[in-house]
Amino acid sequence: MLRALSLLVLSAAFLVAPATTTAATPFKTIKISEGTDMQVTVSPDRKTILADIQGLIYAIPFSGGEAKQLTQPIQEASHPGWSAKGDLVVLQSYAGGTFHIWTMKPDGSALKQVTTGHGDDREPSISRDGTTIAFASDRAFKGSYDIWTVRTDGSGLKQVTNSPADEYEPSWSPDGKQIAFVSGTGIQGREIASIDLASGQRHTIVAIDPGKGRLEAPSFSPDGSKISYTRFEGQGLFVNAGYLTVSPLANSATPLYVSKSSDAFPFPATWLSNSELVYTGNGKILRADIDASKETCIPFTAEIHSIRPVYIHKHYDFDEQSKHAIKGIYAPALSPDGKQVAFVALNQLYLMTIGQKPMAITDDSFYKQGPIFSADGKWLAYVSDRGGIENIYLHDMSQKDSSVDRRVAPSESAQIMPAWSPDGKMIAFQDQTGGTLLADVATGKISPLAPSTFFPGRASFAPNGKTVAIATIHPYTKRFREGTSDILTVDLATKATKFYSPAPYESVTTRTEDGPIYAPNGKEIALVFRDLLYTMPVDVDGHPSGPAVQLNDETTDAPTWSGDSAHLLYLSNGKLRLIDRATKKVTPVAVDLSYSQAKPSQKLLIHAGRFWKGKGAEELRDVDILITDNRITSVSPHSATPPAGVTRTIEASNSTVMPGLFENHVHADSDNGIYYGDRMGRLWLAYGITELRGLADNAYRAVEHKEAYLSGAATGPRIFNTGEAVDGERVYYPMMIATTSEAQLHREFDRLHALDFDFVKLYVRLPYAWAKEGIDYAHTQMGVETASHYLLPAVALGEDGMSHISATARTGWAYSRSFTGHSYEDVTQLMVDSRMWTISTTFSQAPYADDPGMASDPRQKIAPPWENKRLRTAIETATHADPAAALAHLKDEESTVKKVFDSGGLILAGTDSPLDIPATSLHINLRAQVKYGGLKPWQALETVTYLPAKAFGLSEDLGTLEPGRLADLIIVAGNPLENIDDAARVECVAKNGKLQSVSSVMAPFGKSAIGEDICPTH
């Protein structure tokens, strides 16, 4: 954990400038006059408003005017509340990596931390006498938020409520005898209740049907006769409306006042008198007169300082064909005798005798994953989708021919991460639901082992066969999804489960191949946390029984044991290592395996009826595109006489040739993507997606896939990827690194560098001070871009982009989009003037109603059956549900897209697939930009062609079809510049000059004739 107080001495210069750059860094001051999810408090003398605008606290004259910035970005201050005497301001701050309660003077000086610890302390409210702060916290660690109080000097910490419900957003009564708060399950505030501090008696003030909406942010009137709160209507990712509501305590069922604003923000109003209050909504600071039923706006302007750093971008040589040592050694497994290693690389399963060259066991185009030896060393279990779905296969170690390998338990459900029982009779695995199952090796019968959890890691059997251990998520509360990746033990006989932490408040590094894994001698488990290799002692039944012990001091992944428990094999920054358990001596294990970038040797001529280069409104007709090897040589009017030396001619006179599409936000090697196998890359290509921007994946799986695609060993798009996202102490997804120290932070950066990633993702619980270090490291050491979910630090600390217009935020709300789905002038102004890029990931399935045939499209044969079912369900829901609310939210996002686009901002289209439906959802996004955002088709298409290439520094090679550019292109039926739907009618696709029909791409998983008449397989 950071020492939060140390942040206060950092200079303003550090806060706005990177440590080092390779050229002058442009600074810019951006002036805004609206605020999205802005919160305010008013001084008792009614002279000053303190406003939280974009995570910075400003002082504004009460009558309106120019705002003065009081806090800095890495102080992460929000939720200001003024004491009645006017001498103290209470606030919450995330400085240090956990939410805590702080105080400061009204001028922003004398910042002081009040609470400490690993619990999140939020939403402070100071008593009228100025002595005590009420706040919401999960610090009891019993699965919910409760109301607590503490004196302003940090003493007298006391828990006020302790029910199983989540209780939050406290507000003091004027006499200090009661505290009002929200009570509910998770974020669904069902009621506003109060508690009498003397008696502990609770009273419901106002309630709402949770099926119709939720309540937030109570605030008592000065005489205690009324209470204000925000009432939200609707459910789901975004609600339909939010209203500041005032009710009398005597009869709260009949509101006295409902705000004019239909987008009231989820923060407590400040009462000026018993009939006047100040609140925020619709991007404004609003003064409401209840008696007169009148509202006036308090105008303001605020300045935010922006950096757009200049640095040398990573160089890509898309033409060189020299040999490169592999780094994508995926899931290596040590044989029981300690002499051999099985692993996946370049899309094949390899077996390597240590000290010798690896030998491929398989030789096919299908996906492989998860090799693991039986305890006697006679069998190797692994995953392949050569039968159509990822299933477990058994390889007899006495045989060389893998074609005779048999499926253990043939299934139409996925089977990944196999784990042998000690007696070799059972294999545990996970399916696409997150369930952990058992397969009987002799009979193939499948039975449940553990309930579904959110993307669990590979299971491991205790040597006595009684217990299985799995890494899985252990959330702190229902209100916020984050927690720790803990060790879950399952009793095979009773199915009883119990969580164990590798250390208090810490996590197994990732929930993939990082353990826990039992030592065969039954004395301990190995696991990775803090990015290092540790062991923990276990009792006779396999339950952790003592503290973890560190074995090495280098970044570690994917440990496996030798059969005598004397050695552990693991990965470190793309290299294999063998450690002696007793002496801790580490021995490098060389892997003599390399690849080179595939590049066709050809002179290909495409005659196109229509041609769009990927930029602008101009369309050419009847042109010839000449491709030499992997690059475009010329684009010229069609000639009946082809150029000399043409080796292949494609006649597409009734079709449109255009650049392949960038899918700008994917997780190809995590989440649902781990169940697709070879289908994933093919599905994207079949829908015209030739470039992927990966934004957080299992590191070695991602590197292996990239190397396989580059070498031609697997079929898929050109991918620019990253490894696991760097996160704070609490995590949610399996591919987020829970970072708890400066040393670990820099080990993780060094790991990303060593594995040659193209991007650094900084996730939602990483404090801004550490994000700043990540930004500087990515720019100066790796030459790659960074992004997060936040406008800050993207704007103020020099980050390159924002990976969504809005998404999960540690605050519980987003400064870029309100709960009702609106983004105001501050957001669009910052996006445009900062010159960062922003990805629109709509997550809206309502437009599927316009094209129900998508579910029966022949290309859907590539999708796994459960994913096609997800698409069919989305279409069915969109077709029969009332679309009004969903379309309203979609229109709001597309309005932001259009404003940014029209103002020259860098707006890109993405999907967050496979969280959203892969491939089709990108086309839904493009259609929504046109139908609901008002963009012209060519403008929408630029968000997946020219603009991404510009944003990512790739425009010399990609994004447009011009001489010298790479031949990543698609041939589509119809004319997408007239009808955006036609962009999905892909007939043929070329990546790096290799042109294939969609039929050819589909072939391993489904038959069709799409594109065969234009690009016949040869």
Side-chain angles (χ1 to χ4, degrees):
M1 296 283 292
L2 283 170
R3 288 178 297 175
L5 290 174
S6 68
L7 298 179
L8 305 182
V9 302
L10 294 173
S11 70
F14 174 85
L15 298 175
V16 296
T20 57
T21 55
T22 57
T25 301
F27 296 82
K28 189 171 187 177
T29 297
I30 302 171
K31 184 170 284 191
I32 61 175
S33 58
E34 288 186 335
T36 302
D37 275 343
M38 168 177 56
Q39 183 185 2
V40 298
T41 184
V42 182
S43 63
D45 61 10
R46 305 298 183 252
K47 292 182 178 180
T48 307
I49 295 171
L50 293 186
D52 169 17
I53 305 171
Q54 292 297 330
L56 300 169
I57 295 180
Y58 291 82
I60 303 171
F62 182 70
S63 59
E66 186 175 342
K68 178 184 177 182
Q69 184 178 329
L70 302 183
T71 62
Q72 297 292 341
I74 63 170
Q75 290 165 342
E76 302 203 50
S78 64
H79 260 91
W82 221 306
S83 68
K85 293 181 180 179
D87 60 339
L88 194 68
V89 174
V90 65
L91 50 88
Q92 74 178 33
S93 170
Y94 192 72
T98 307
F99 283 105
H100 285 305
I101 307 306
W102 291 55
T103 59
M104 71 177 187
K105 290 184 178 179
D107 63 0
S109 66
L111 272 159
K112 178 186 175 184
Q113 186 170 346
V114 178
T115 62
T116 60
H118 291 271
D120 270 348
D121 304 328
R122 301 173 182 252
E123 299 133 15
S125 174
I126 191 165
S127 61
R128 188 160 183 81
D129 63 11
T131 64
T132 308
I133 302 167
F135 61 97
S137 181
D138 60 6
R139 61 174 42 240
F141 301 109
K142 293 183 179 179
S144 65
Y145 267 76
D146 302 295
I147 305 303
W148 295 67
T149 58
V150 66
R151 295 191 182 95
T152 55
D153 64 3
S155 65
L157 184 68
K158 181 180 179 181
Q159 186 171 353
V160 176
T161 67
N162 59 5
S163 80
D166 284 296
E167 296 155 331
Y168 49 94
E169 295 178 347
S171 177
W172 289 92
S173 64
D175 60 9
K177 294 180 180 181
Q178 296 182 72
I179 295 175
F181 55 90
V182 178
S183 179
T185 301
I187 64 168
Q188 197 68 35
R190 299 182 178 184
E191 65 175 19
I192 292 174
S194 65
I195 186 167
D196 186 285
L197 295 178
S199 67
Q201 184 175 358
R202 293 173 58 126
H203 168 68
T204 297
I205 298 174
V206 61
I208 193 171
D209 180 346
K212 295 181 179 179
R214 68 178 191 256
L215 305 175
E216 303 255 3
S219 179
F220 283 101
S221 63
D223 65 0
S225 67
K226 309 178 191 72
I227 193 162
S228 66
Y229 52 92
T230 309
R231 174 175 54 85
F232 289 108
E233 297 178 353
Q235 291 183 303
L237 187 62
F238 296 105
V239 296
N240 300 333
Y243 297 98
L244 174 76
T245 305
V246 178
S247 293
L249 291 176
N251 181 18
S252 60
T254 305
L256 290 171
Y257 182 79
V258 176
S259 66
K260 311 299 182 185
S261 167
S262 60
D263 188 19
F265 299 150
F267 309 111
T270 299
W271 289 83
L272 305 177
S273 67
N274 291 322
S275 62
E276 282 191 291
L277 41 72
V278 173
Y279 76 103
T280 55
N282 285 25
K284 309 292 185 182
I285 302 172
L286 298 165
R287 182 174 181 175
D289 185 320
I290 297 172
D291 292 342
S293 190
K294 178 183 177 183
E295 294 186 7
T296 57
C297 174
I298 301 174
F300 71 92
T301 58
E303 292 182 345
I304 293 178
H305 302 289
S306 165
I307 329 171
R308 194 57 28 219
V310 177
Y311 55 95
I312 298 174
H313 280 254
K314 178 179 178 178
H315 174 67
Y316 295 94
D317 189 337
F318 296 108
D319 300 298
E320 63 87 24
Q321 292 181 281
S322 57
K323 289 189 176 298
H324 299 272
I326 63 163
K327 295 183 179 182
I329 303 171
Y330 183 38
L334 186 62
S335 62
D337 63 9
K339 295 180 180 180
Q340 293 182 301
V341 181
F343 61 91
V344 173
L346 301 176
N347 206 37
Q348 302 303 337
L349 177 62
Y350 283 87
L351 185 66
M352 181 183 77
T353 299
I354 294 176
Q356 298 181 20
K357 191 174 178 66
M359 301 298 293
I361 295 176
T362 58
D363 182 22
D364 59 53
S365 65
F366 293 103
Y367 175 77
K368 294 92 185 170
Q369 182 260 343
I372 188 167
F373 291 93
S374 60
D376 59 12
K378 294 181 179 180
W379 297 93
L380 182 69
Y382 66 96
V383 171
S384 172
D385 62 1
R386 73 191 201 197
I389 302 293
E390 287 183 77
N391 274 190
I392 299 166
Y393 285 76
L394 289 186
H395 177 72
D396 185 338
M397 290 297 293
S398 66
Q399 302 290 325
K400 291 185 178 180
D401 184 5
S402 66
S403 66
V404 298
D405 294 351
R406 72 174 181 91
R407 274 198 280 185
V408 174
S411 173
E412 287 299 301
S413 290
Q415 300 168 353
I416 66 167
M417 297 184 184
W420 286 95
S421 64
D423 60 9
K425 294 181 178 180
M426 307 291 286
I427 294 178
F429 64 91
Q430 272 104 31
D431 69 3
Q432 71 274 5
T433 70
T436 301
L437 308 170
L438 282 174
D440 187 295
V441 174
T443 67
K445 182 180 178 181
I446 295 173
S447 58
L449 170 59
S452 295
T453 59
F454 187 71
F455 296 113
R458 190 198 288 254
S460 179
F461 284 84
N464 65 6
K466 294 182 178 180
T467 304
V468 166
I470 310 165
T472 192
I473 186 67
H474 190 186
Y476 280 101
T477 68
K478 292 184 178 69
R479 188 181 178 200
F480 298 101
R481 65 188 189 177
E482 292 86 4
T484 49
S485 292
D486 282 357
I487 300 163
L488 180 71
T489 61
V490 185
D491 185 290
L492 266 72
T494 67
K495 300 299 188 290
T497 60
K498 187 175 181 180
F499 278 108
Y500 297 86
S501 296
Y505 315 108
E506 296 199 57
S507 293
V508 177
T509 295
T510 68
R511 302 195 304 274
T512 49
E513 305 286 347
D514 283 346
I517 180 169
Y518 285 100
N521 64 15
K523 295 181 179 180
E524 58 190 349
I525 54 174
L527 71 157
V528 181
F529 86 105
R530 302 170 183 163
D531 287 351
L532 304 174
L533 181 62
Y534 280 75
T535 58
M536 291 180 74
V538 295
D539 62 23
V540 293
D541 289 324
H543 302 116
S545 59
V549 177
Q550 183 178 329
L551 292 191
N552 69 357
D553 58 3
E554 64 180 357
T555 305
T556 299
D557 284 288
T560 58
W561 290 94
S562 60
D564 59 6
S565 303
H567 293 87
L568 280 155
L569 179 80
Y570 62 91
L571 282 163
S572 181
N573 292 350
K575 306 288 186 181
L576 280 177
R577 300 281 194 268
L578 196 63
I579 187 170
D580 186 293
R581 173 64 185 88
T583 67
K584 298 185 181 180
K585 180 183 177 182
V586 176
T587 303
V589 177
V591 180
D592 183 10
L593 189 61
S594 62
Y595 72 96
S596 58
Q597 189 171 228
K599 186 170 79 169
S601 178
Q602 64 180 356
K603 205 161 189 180
L604 172 66
L605 184 69
I606 303 175
H607 172 209
R610 290 172 299 276
F611 172 84
W612 182 61
K613 75 174 183 178
K615 178 183 179 182
E618 184 183 17
E619 173 193 283
L620 301 179
R621 290 183 178 269
D622 201 26
V623 299
D624 288 337
I625 304 110
L626 182 63
I627 298 168
T628 303
D629 300 337
N630 64 330
R631 289 190 180 267
I632 295 170
T633 305
S634 65
V635 178
S636 58
H638 175 59
S639 171
T641 305
V646 169
T647 56
R648 186 184 181 194
T649 299
I650 299 297
E651 186 61 44
S653 57
N654 294 317
S655 303
T656 300
V657 174
M658 57 183 284
L661 311 181
F662 272 81
E663 163 53 286
N664 292 296
H665 189 140
V666 300
H667 301 282
D669 291 297
S670 64
D671 300 323
N672 305 7
I674 63 180
Y675 308 110
Y676 272 76
D678 185 48
R679 295 169 179 266
M680 183 65 90
R682 294 176 183 273
L683 187 66
W684 270 311
L685 286 178
Y687 282 86
I689 297 161
T690 57
E691 270 68 43
L692 299 181
R693 170 64 73 169
L695 290 185
D697 288 293
N698 172 271
Y700 286 93
R701 178 184 159 103
V703 175
E704 189 276 332
H705 248 146
K706 182 175 182 178
E707 292 176 345
Y709 289 160
L710 278 172
S711 65
T715 299
R718 191 185 302 274
I719 186 165
F720 300 93
N721 61 9
T722 185
E724 289 88 4
V726 184
D727 210 350
E729 182 178 280
R730 300 185 183 195
V731 294
Y732 179 64
Y733 287 102
M735 70 294 191
M736 307 302 176
I737 302 290
T739 311
T740 57
S741 71
E742 284 268 2
Q744 184 193 359
L745 181 73
H746 286 277
R747 280 195 300 270
E748 185 56 29
F749 294 154
D750 290 343
R751 173 176 177 265
L752 296 172
H753 193 185
L755 294 175
D756 195 27
F757 282 113
D758 305 300
F759 191 80
V760 173
K761 177 75 172 284
L762 304 169
Y763 208 56
V764 299
R765 293 280 304 196
L766 190 72
Y768 287 170
W770 282 1
K772 180 67 171 66
E773 294 187 44
I775 293 163
D776 290 345
Y777 187 99
H779 291 169
T780 64
Q781 303 301 311
M782 299 172 66
V784 302
E785 298 185 336
T786 67
S788 66
H789 284 193
Y790 303 122
L791 270 173
L792 292 175
V795 171
L797 300 182
E799 205 164 47
D800 298 276
M802 193 163 65
S803 54
H804 307 261
I805 286 179
S806 77
T808 307
R810 55 179 171 255
T811 51
W813 73 90
Y815 288 111
S816 56
R817 199 173 183 189
S818 70
F819 282 171
T820 65
H822 290 82
S823 300
Y824 293 96
E825 176 252 17
D826 58 331
V827 174
T828 54
Q829 199 77 25
L830 289 169
M831 287 180 181
V832 172
D833 288 354
S834 69
R835 303 205 316 276
M836 70 175 191
W837 48 260
T838 305
I839 302 173
S840 170
T841 53
T842 63
F843 280 97
S844 179
Q845 297 182 344
Y848 277 117
D850 295 335
D851 192 357
M854 274 191 163
S856 56
D857 188 301
R859 290 171 291 182
Q860 281 299 305
K861 296 174 185 176
I862 309 174
W866 58 88
E867 288 294 320
N868 180 252
K869 181 180 179 181
R870 182 161 66 127
L871 175 59
R872 285 186 278 114
T873 300
I875 290 172
E876 183 73 12
T877 302
T879 302
H880 293 95
D882 182 353
L887 290 179
H889 297 318
L890 180 58
K891 289 174 183 177
D892 287 336
E893 176 148 347
E894 298 306 346
S895 172
T896 302
V897 168
K898 182 168 174 56
K899 288 176 184 176
V900 174
F901 187 97
D902 287 348
S903 300
L906 281 172
I907 194 80
L908 316 176
T911 65
D912 214 356
S913 295
L915 294 179
D916 204 350
I917 300 170
T920 57
S921 57
L922 185 65
H923 288 282
I924 290 296
N925 189 327
L926 295 175
R927 295 175 187 186
Q929 289 182 34
V930 175
K931 184 173 182 179
Y932 302 110
L935 292 185
K936 295 180 174 62
W938 69 265
Q939 293 174 318
L941 289 168
E942 278 195 345
T943 70
V944 290
T945 54
Y946 159 68
L947 289 175
K950 178 182 178 181
F952 304 144
L954 299 167
S955 54
E956 291 298 312
D957 296 289
L958 292 165
T960 57
L961 299 182
E962 300 175 82
R965 301 294 194 271
L966 290 164
D968 287 17
L969 57 82
I970 53 177
I971 301 174
V972 301
N975 186 353
L977 269 64
E978 292 182 357
N979 181 0
I980 191 65
D981 293 9
D982 288 348
R985 298 173 63 192
V986 182
E987 298 169 311
C988 305
V989 58
K991 185 202 76 174
N992 208 41
K994 182 180 179 180
L995 185 66
Q996 304 176 79
S997 67
V998 167
S999 171
S1000 175
V1001 172
M1002 290 176 56
F1005 301 104
K1007 293 182 179 180
S1008 83
I1010 301 173
E1012 275 296 303
D1013 57 333
I1014 299 173
C1015 309
T1017 303
H1018 67 284

